[in-house]
Amino acid sequence: MNDTPLSIYTGQIFRPYAWKANFDMDFSSGCIYCDSDASLKGYAVEDEQGATAKVAICPSCQKINARY
């Protein structure tokens, strides 16, 4: 794995087709962008250069709520 920071920011729409995304964990918190009651889902993602990040995604609006 490469330690170069992956340019994923909160508020972005999650694009799993642009990165390799693997489910990582469920969160008990809700989305900060929409009124959905759905819990956030965590994914480990990697871009084509090997840069990695872990992000929390809202399954309803698909926005990135956090990097962890």
Side-chain angles (χ1 to χ4, degrees), residues 11-67:
Q12 276 185 308
I13 299 294
F14 185 54
R15 300 183 326 249
Y17 56 84
W19 308 301
K20 296 180 199 171
N22 295 308
F23 176 75
D24 187 49
M25 66 185 293
D26 287 314
F27 290 88
S28 60
S29 56
C31 182
I32 60 175
Y33 297 103
C34 71
D35 293 332
S36 171
D37 290 332
S39 296
L40 299 178
K41 304 287 182 189
Y43 291 91
V45 295
E46 181 179 341
D47 69 9
E48 61 277 353
Q49 283 83 35
T52 60
K54 289 186 177 182
V55 293
I57 309 302
C58 174
S60 295
C61 70
Q62 296 296 310
K63 287 192 177 182
I64 297 169
N65 278 243
R67 288 181 67 158

